[in-house]
Amino acid sequence: MKPHSGQVTVGGHTIDAKSKRKQIKSLREHTGMVFQYPEHQLFEETVEKDLLFGPRNAGKEEARTKKRLPELLELVGLDKSFLERSPFELSGGQMRRVAIAGVLCRRAESADSG
């Protein structure tokens, strides 16, 4: 979303009402969003499938992304056993951690490719 007036600066990216689509796309490649209620963000049948959703939609190589999932879960304080679990069987805090790992997963793939 672009602001109706003024400007928004995130890192080195500044977006205003006149910003071109390309500028906004560049910002999206460097940011992620975690919903306040993670149950609104998680929807796949397993944590692994949920984490792979963003990179898959971005056209990233799934095998390479899959290898990084245990490392990304560890960054948010979860172990790899969570990959096989349903996001809907997790506690609220665990869901939040999975949602953050999903953003990190997308971000890690963007960093690798550029």
Side-chain angles (χ1 to χ4, degrees):
M1 296 174 63
K2 295 191 290 186
H4 295 285
S5 64
Q7 61 185 21
V8 176
T9 301
V10 178
H13 302 273
T14 300
I15 304 298
D16 60 29
K18 298 175 186 171
S19 293
K20 304 275 190 232
R21 184 177 176 101
K22 186 176 182 179
Q23 290 171 299
I24 295 170
K25 184 178 180 190
S26 176
L27 174 61
R28 286 182 184 148
E29 290 174 358
H30 293 90
T31 60
M33 181 171 48
V34 177
F35 292 12
Q36 181 173 354
Y37 301 104
E39 57 273 17
H40 296 166
Q41 184 168 350
L42 305 172
F43 57 89
E44 289 283 4
E45 58 190 45
T46 66
V47 168
E48 178 179 42
K49 287 181 180 180
D50 224 297
L51 294 177
L52 291 173
F53 179 81
R56 183 181 299 127
N57 272 1
K60 305 300 179 187
E61 185 183 328
E62 190 166 316
R64 193 167 100 186
T65 304
K66 248 183 170 176
K67 288 180 186 176
R68 302 208 51 201
L69 296 182
E71 170 190 343
L72 293 171
L73 282 177
E74 187 177 318
L75 284 173
V76 297
L78 301 174
D79 65 61
K80 67 181 181 178
S81 69
F82 279 81
L83 291 172
E84 300 171 12
R85 295 179 63 181
S86 167
F88 309 107
E89 295 174 353
L90 305 178
S91 71
Q94 291 167 333
M95 284 183 178
R96 283 177 181 80
R97 290 169 187 256
V98 169
I100 293 167
V103 171
L104 293 174
C105 188
R106 175 73 191 267
R107 177 69 183 114
E109 290 306 308
S110 294
D112 283 351
S113 63

